[in-house]
Amino acid sequence: MIVYGTEVVIPAEVKIPSLRIIQEAELDDVEWVKSCYEQLALIDGKRMNAVYHGQLSQNRMSKAFNKRVKPRQFTPGQLVLKKIFLHQDEAKGKFSPNWQVPYLVHQVLIRGTLILVEMDG
């Protein structure tokens, strides 16, 4: 911005006062050191608030996502289809199938992890 008749003060000088700003405000060294220390103490509080709000937003997002997730229970011997993801070589194009041939659930591990085997063993 254009300033007429006064010196330009950049925003960084307002947050972290330079020698020129200190002389204009006529602060002595003790007051300046005290104000800098208070500013540093406030930074920790702001950082903790940011972490807290980040965790809250992540929890809200995970709750909203998990509302739509339907848990499924698999048992050994069940037939399942394995999805072909876009980064896999089998995904050739627009009209290629989204699923691979049926697989047999061999073993169910913790947290729903499955060990699959092909139909012929």
Side-chain angles (χ1 to χ4, degrees), residues 35-49:
S35 69
C36 285
Y37 183 72
E38 290 171 357
Q39 293 278 337
L40 288 174
L42 289 176
I43 289 174
D44 288 334
K46 289 179 181 179
R47 185 178 296 136
M48 291 305 293
N49 281 340

Side-chain angles (χ1 to χ4, degrees), residues 96-113:
S96 64
N98 295 332
W99 305 96
Q100 290 178 345
V101 296
Y103 285 90
L104 194 64
V105 176
H106 179 69
Q107 190 177 3
V108 179
L109 303 176
I110 58 172
R111 295 186 182 179
T113 305

Side-chain angles (χ1 to χ4, degrees), residues 73-85:
Q73 299 295 325
F74 294 100
T75 57
Q78 254 184 329
L79 292 177
V80 294
L81 294 173
K82 184 177 168 189
K83 182 162 176 57
I84 301 173
F85 293 103

Side-chain angles (χ1 to χ4, degrees), residues 2-39:
I2 300 174
V3 181
Y4 295 103
T6 59
E7 285 193 41
V8 177
V9 177
I10 59 175
E13 286 187 73
V14 174
K15 289 286 186 186
I16 305 166
S18 64
L19 183 59
R20 178 175 61 124
I21 300 298
I22 294 169
Q23 287 175 348
E24 286 177 6
E26 296 177 357
L27 293 175
D28 61 344
D29 291 339
V30 176
E31 289 178 16
W32 180 74
V33 169
K34 187 189 246 183
S35 69
C36 285
Y37 183 72
E38 290 171 357
Q39 293 278 337

